[in-house]
Amino acid sequence: MAQTAHNPTLATPATDASGSSGNNTGALVIVTILFFMWGLLTSLNDVLIPHLKAIYTLTYLQAMLVQFCFFGAYFIVSLPAGALIRRLGYQKGAVAGLLVAATGCALFYPASKGGYGLFLFAFFVLAAGITVLQVAANPYVTVLGPAATASSRLTLTQAFNSLGTTVAPALGGLLILSASTLGADQLAALAPAEQAAYRAHEAASVQGPYLALAAALALLAVLFALARLPKIGQLADTAVSGAGGSALAHRHLVLGAIAIFLYVGGEVSIGSFLVNFLGESQVAGMAPARAASYVSLYWGGALLGRFIGFAVMRFVSPGRTLAFNAVAAIALVLVAILTQGQVAMWAILAVGLFNSIMFPTIFSMALHGLGRHTGQGSGILCMAIVGGAIVPFAQGMLADAIGVQPSFFVPAACYGFILYFGLKYANLYRQGAAATLA
């Protein structure tokens, strides 16, 4: 989330001759800030989930509606976003996405007065704007300079996206979470009027940070609208579902979509439960505000792991690297479930390091050999990000039934399928397509 905050390019854009020449440093800076912002906005959910759960005395299942609404937007809005971009163009589409995201942030102000349902609506609007941004802004990264250095620019922007996911939990814990948050039993002991006053005070803590984010997004919209960006033509691969079969006929794409669904779901689910997990008496017994700073270590591990993975995959096949990381993630999650104290705490935080290469590796493996179906395959994989909505929901149901710590068997099972995918296609790039993808 991060992918979460995850940013697949849905197709290859055509550019004019000037698009790859000239000085586009200013435009690249603006686009890089966009990547940072949607990483930050996505990762802030990990702070808001325990905060809203405490305020409104929610079950874990009810609290996971935050991720359900947020990542559900990827599934619902992706196709309309593509149509919007085709109608408005990439630059105006990015401006529209920024303004929608700014509106979502601004909605947190009335939500703090109107209750949990309005918060969920605000999350959906915010995520809808981010989805439009992902469809619109990604192609700019590839054209803001020579084609030979496109990979380095993509690495830079992805690094800033990970930086956003790393900074957000610590920042959110500082600005939003209160060190004096009451437990469910303490809140129930208060008189109804006192409960209402407490909820209003705690909910109001989101107003300042999210209004500031709304202003920042609106400012970025103005800068993006005024920026002189290279013109991007229509998508080169428009007939993604034309005659001659479908991307779904490729088994490795179908399995890759399932792997993306489960990876995003597992990664987001762990992040969503970390504050509550670290608050468990048998683990660390941390207050929410302190636990939030440790969530940054989980996302920071993913940032570090991307650079390690980049070096390792120069010598080890992507499939084998993916399988190794999946084994490590499963082992660490099981340690977190079956042990207590510092061992359990550091085990679950270390999972982030092994999450790092999973999304881009699965994504590229799933698209391998698709040829003219690559555009359709990319769209399918993008929609599979809806796993971030479904898997946390499933873990929430299990947490309500058997407790937070054992509920982590859900992400462990997700990594099990990723292990299978990595092993099955360990030699994907060495064999012929007919032999490998059988």
Side-chain angles (χ1 to χ4, degrees):
M1 127 191 145
Q3 175 152 222
T4 309
H6 309 290
N7 313 300
T9 302
L10 297 184
T12 303
T15 63
D16 60 12
S18 64
S20 59
S21 62
N23 187 352
N24 293 311
T25 302
L28 182 61
V29 168
I30 295 173
V31 177
T32 301
I33 293 173
L34 296 186
F35 276 75
F36 173 82
M37 287 297 293
W38 69 53
L40 185 145
L41 289 165
T42 302
S43 192
L44 270 178
N45 292 359
D46 295 342
V47 171
L48 284 175
I49 287 170
H51 185 58
L52 297 175
K53 182 180 183 297
I55 293 173
Y56 298 110
T57 58
L58 306 172
T59 65
Y60 284 107
L61 180 62
Q62 291 169 332
M64 288 307 116
L65 284 172
V66 168
Q67 302 292 36
F68 185 81
C69 291
F70 192 91
F71 284 93
Y74 281 84
F75 186 79
I76 296 172
V77 179
S78 286
L79 292 180
L84 179 69
I85 300 307
R86 286 192 295 272
R87 183 177 180 84
L88 297 181
Y90 282 87
Q91 185 167 0
K92 290 181 180 178
V95 172
L98 283 164
L99 293 176
V100 172
T103 300
C105 287
L107 283 172
F108 277 72
Y109 186 89
S112 67
K113 301 175 181 295
Y116 188 51
L118 192 50
F119 268 115
L120 295 178
F121 178 69
F123 277 114
F124 181 85
V125 174
L126 172 58
I130 292 174
T131 303
V132 175
L133 278 175
Q134 292 204 18
V135 176
N138 271 286
Y140 276 116
V141 181
T142 63
V143 301
L144 292 177
T149 58
S151 294
S152 65
R153 292 193 300 278
L154 285 167
T155 299
L156 174 66
T157 54
Q158 289 286 351
F160 272 84
N161 181 269
S162 293
L163 180 61
T165 62
T166 301
V167 169
L171 185 63
L174 180 66
L175 298 178
I176 296 174
L177 295 183
S178 170
S180 59
T181 301
L182 299 180
D185 293 338
Q186 294 171 302
L187 185 60
L190 298 177
E194 293 175 319
Q195 290 184 22
Y198 170 80
R199 288 192 174 100
H201 176 268
E202 291 295 307
S205 64
V206 307
Q207 293 175 356
Y210 272 86
L211 285 178
L213 287 169
L217 290 169
L219 177 60
L220 281 174
V222 172
L223 293 176
F224 211 91
L226 297 177
R228 297 184 62 183
L229 300 176
K231 294 181 180 180
I232 300 182
Q234 294 300 311
L235 299 180
D237 184 9
T238 55
V240 295
S241 58
S246 164
L248 292 174
H250 297 266
R251 188 181 182 195
H252 72 296
L253 171 69
V254 175
L255 295 178
I258 297 172
I260 289 288
F261 179 95
L262 294 173
Y263 163 69
V264 176
E267 179 194 50
V268 170
S269 200
I270 291 174
S272 300
F273 279 89
L274 270 179
V275 170
N276 291 109
F277 179 80
L278 297 179
E280 294 282 286
S281 59
Q282 74 275 17
V283 178
M286 289 185 183
R290 185 182 175 207
S293 64
Y294 282 84
V295 179
S296 289
L297 297 179
Y298 171 71
W299 294 108
L303 174 61
L304 174 63
R306 285 186 174 181
F307 295 103
I308 298 174
F310 172 77
V312 168
M313 283 190 286
R314 297 183 65 182
F315 307 99
V316 183
S317 76
R320 288 189 173 87
T321 306
L322 180 65
F324 174 83
N325 279 32
V327 168
I330 293 169
L332 288 168
V333 174
L334 291 178
V335 169
I337 294 171
L338 300 174
T339 63
Q340 298 182 351
Q342 294 287 306
V343 174
M345 180 183 83
W346 289 109
I348 201 66
L349 292 174
V351 175
L353 179 66
F354 296 95
N355 279 339
S356 54
I357 58 95
M358 288 189 182
F359 185 88
T361 303
I362 296 169
F363 199 88
S364 59
M365 289 174 66
L367 292 181
H368 179 68
L370 261 61
R372 62 192 176 86
H373 295 302
T374 298
Q376 183 188 20
S378 298
I380 292 169
L381 294 174
C382 186
M383 294 181 74
I385 293 174
V386 73
I390 305 300
V391 175
F393 212 53
Q395 186 173 353
M397 293 176 64
L398 196 61
D400 286 328
I402 63 175
V404 173
Q405 194 167 8
S407 75
F408 279 82
F409 277 114
V410 171
C414 294
Y415 291 121
F417 184 87
I418 295 167
L419 169 60
Y420 161 75
F421 181 80
L423 291 176
K424 181 173 178 63
Y425 298 110
N427 297 315
L428 183 67
Y429 298 99
R430 295 183 181 180
Q431 302 172 358
T436 306
L437 306 180

